[in-house]
Amino acid sequence: MWDLSNSDSSDNLIAVLQVLAYAANALVELADEPRSNAVAEYLNEFPNLRSTVWVDVNPDWLRGCLALRLDQIDEAQQHFNTGLEWASRPDVRFVIDQGRCHQGLADVAELRGDHATAMQHLDAAGALFSQYGTKLYLDQVLAKKEFLKA
């Protein structure tokens, strides 16, 4: 397991966060529960962290995804909402992050049995991904919409 406790200097913190940013999708899909917990606990030490250091990963999106993996539905919703709010700010405008947070909120709504709200979030995500040509994410949204219709 990763030892994330040795990141007390700001240089070390930035290095760890960059690694987490690059590994975010793999963490979300493949991390076991202890690793997911370790990363989530580490991120929770920096609840106000929002930075371009994250390259293309919104830390709130990652927090939300890890919370979903750990069956923490309320926490996931909170993280996705925070990430969506931050990514939508006029001084930030990270459109892809907005869409990914909408996807996360759709997952939360689906888990709660609220397919109508899930579809609204998927529509919002799909519109953003379509507008900006992010085919991978758009394909994910379309597949999820088909699944929810079934």
Side-chain angles (χ1 to χ4, degrees), residues 49-68:
L49 179 71
R50 284 163 198 93
S51 168
T52 56
V53 167
W54 280 80
V55 187
D56 66 344
V57 175
N58 180 330
D60 293 305
W61 171 83
L62 180 53
R63 288 181 185 104
C65 289
L66 290 170
L68 280 180

Side-chain angles (χ1 to χ4, degrees), residues 72-127:
Q72 300 167 346
I73 307 303
D74 292 339
E75 291 84 352
Q77 181 176 12
Q78 180 182 5
H79 292 307
F80 290 133
N81 278 326
T82 300
L84 179 59
E85 180 183 318
W86 178 78
S88 301
R89 287 178 23 187
D91 60 327
V92 175
R93 296 286 301 152
F94 286 177
V95 176
I96 304 308
D97 283 347
Q98 292 173 35
R100 293 177 82 189
C101 287
H102 275 296
Q103 280 182 290
L105 289 166
D107 289 340
V108 167
E110 178 190 5
L111 287 169
R112 290 186 169 145
D114 186 352
H115 288 199
T117 299
M119 290 297 269
Q120 290 173 348
H121 283 293
L122 291 170
D123 287 343

